[in-house]
């Protein structure tokens, strides 16, 4: 696809996709020229954009390992999963528990096309096309109900998705509706772009400039404050170390110290438990 020759049905290669831009940042091949143009534009403002994508993927892996091996979670709902790439949720989860089940959700039809091809022989995961803005469509989808038991704890994964909802779309209500459907003992993982505000004026300026690029090129993107991000976890118990830069969330003991680049403090994450 990097040569823009094989275009799946229903895909317009002239319109950029967040999932494909993210794929490009991760070194993937499932992207078009228009996606690469948007990614390169963003990199001119924040050259460490690919590093931010990789940090988010590493955060995902650490969260999944913790949830399976320490919290005993064996089923996951990954909303805004993006294109299949190395270190998918089901791959990490089944390393710890071969019976782990995963439902991937994305509104990009290309994710459905590639996800189904990837998962055809897996049996432990499925992918559905749906939009986070319509939570009931996700929660009541036949495949979600077939793969997940909503009477047992579930890991709800909201990695790099809520910041693509504008304030007018009430992302807090969207998150609350999804969390309400989870049984007690479930977990919610969130990663989100952060505007550091007055604590880091230069970082805040760059965050607002990248936000402008997102809104001009990819639809919506919102860099929020700590208070706004934590509001998504209202009523939940946020696990230590709280809301922190992705690399600071329970880093692997043997991992090298991360380089604090421009996006280090503007991409943060948390894990919370539903009482």
């Amino acid at each position: 696809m990097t040569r823009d020759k094989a275009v799946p049905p229903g895909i317009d290669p002239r319109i950029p996709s967040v999932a494909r831009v993210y794929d490009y940042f991760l070194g993937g091949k499932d992207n078009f020229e228009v996606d690469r143009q948007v990614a390169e534009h963003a990199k001119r403002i924040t050259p460490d954009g690919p590093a931010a994508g990789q940090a988010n993927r590493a955060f995902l892996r650490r969260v999944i390992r913790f949830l399976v091996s320490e919290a005993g979670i064996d089923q996951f709902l990954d909303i805004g999963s993006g294109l299949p790439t190395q270190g998918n949720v089901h791959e990490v989860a089944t390393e710890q528990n071969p019976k782990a089940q995963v439902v991937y959700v994305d509104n990009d039809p290309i994710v459905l096309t590639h996800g189904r091809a990837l998962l055809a022989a897996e049996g432990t995961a499925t992918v559905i096309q749906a939009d986070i803005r319509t939570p009931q469509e996700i929660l009541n989808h036949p495949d979600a109900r077939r793969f997940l038991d909503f009477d047992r704890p579930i890991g709800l994964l909201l990695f790099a998705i809520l910041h693509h909802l504008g304030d007018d779309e009430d992302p807090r209500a969207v998150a609350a509706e999804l969390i309400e459907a989870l049984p007690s003992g479930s977990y919610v993982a969130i990663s989100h772009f952060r505007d550091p505000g007055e604590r880091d004026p230069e970082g805040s300026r760059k965050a607002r400039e990248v936000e402008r690029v997102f809104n001009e090129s990819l639809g919506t993107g919102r860099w929020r404050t700590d208070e706004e991000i934590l509001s998504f976890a209202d009523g939940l118990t946020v696990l230590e170390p709280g809301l922190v830069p992705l690399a600071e969330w329970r880093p692997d003991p043997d991992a090298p110290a991360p380089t604090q680049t421009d996006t280090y403090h503007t991409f943060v994450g948390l894990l919370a438990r539903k009482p």
Side-chain angles (χ1 to χ4, degrees):
M1 278 181 57
T2 53
R3 295 181 181 178
D4 298 355
K5 290 183 179 179
V7 181
I11 305 298
D12 188 342
R14 299 166 298 178
I15 300 175
S17 155
V18 171
R20 297 194 304 264
V21 171
Y22 186 52
D23 174 73
Y24 177 73
F25 276 158
L26 290 173
K29 299 179 180 179
D30 295 317
N31 48 77
F32 297 120
E33 178 60 27
V34 66
D35 306 307
R36 298 189 286 277
Q37 289 174 356
V38 170
E40 291 301 327
H41 187 179
K43 283 169 63 178
R44 285 194 288 273
I45 301 168
T46 53
D48 60 335
Q54 292 158 10
N56 188 55
R57 181 60 54 161
F59 171 62
L60 176 152
R61 289 194 291 265
R62 295 196 304 277
V63 165
I64 299 306
R65 286 198 295 267
F66 168 82
L67 288 177
V68 178
S69 63
E70 297 189 42
I73 300 297
D74 62 1
Q75 49 180 357
F76 298 90
L77 180 59
D78 183 6
I79 302 180
S81 57
L83 286 163
T85 189
Q86 187 175 6
N88 291 297
V89 172
H90 73 281
E91 293 174 330
V92 179
T94 54
E95 284 179 359
Q96 309 291 324
N97 181 352
K99 295 182 179 180
Q101 298 278 98
V102 180
V103 173
Y104 295 107
V105 183
D106 205 284
N107 67 348
D108 190 332
I110 202 168
V111 173
L112 187 70
T113 300
H114 284 263
R116 284 181 172 169
L118 175 76
L119 301 173
E122 294 284 350
T124 59
T126 190
V127 57
I128 62 178
Q129 184 180 346
D131 197 305
I132 190 173
R133 297 170 182 84
T134 54
Q136 292 305 316
E137 179 185 355
I138 297 171
L139 296 169
N140 294 318
H141 194 285
D143 284 346
R145 290 289 166 174
R146 180 166 59 90
F147 268 74
L148 305 177
D149 180 356
F150 281 80
D151 291 326
R152 297 192 302 108
I154 292 171
L156 173 61
L157 310 179
L158 301 173
F159 294 111
I161 180 63
L162 291 171
H163 55 226
H164 291 302
L165 299 185
D167 292 344
D168 61 325
E169 296 172 301
D170 202 353
R172 185 174 176 182
V174 169
E177 189 171 349
L178 290 165
I179 293 168
E180 176 64 25
L182 303 177
S184 175
S186 294
Y187 288 80
V188 181
I190 297 172
S191 64
H192 198 292
F193 292 149
R194 173 172 70 175
D195 183 341
E198 295 181 357
R199 78 187 71 180
D200 180 6
E202 178 60 13
S204 181
R205 182 194 67 78
K206 289 186 176 182
R208 291 194 300 272
E209 177 63 10
V210 176
E211 182 179 88
R212 181 186 65 80
V213 172
F214 260 81
N215 282 276
E216 289 179 352
S217 307
L218 289 171
T220 58
R222 186 73 167 76
W223 274 242
R224 295 187 167 94
T225 65
D226 282 6
E227 294 73 21
E228 289 174 312
I229 299 169
L230 285 167
S231 74
F232 296 130
D234 278 354
L236 307 180
T237 301
V238 178
L239 277 63
E240 292 294 335
L243 179 67
V244 294
L246 300 179
E248 295 180 16
W249 195 89
R250 305 192 180 202
D252 295 328
D254 56 351
T259 302
Q260 296 201 16
T261 55
D262 285 341
T263 62
Y264 185 90
H265 291 286
T266 58
F267 204 177
V268 295
L270 65 81
L271 179 65
R273 185 180 186 274
K274 184 174 180 178

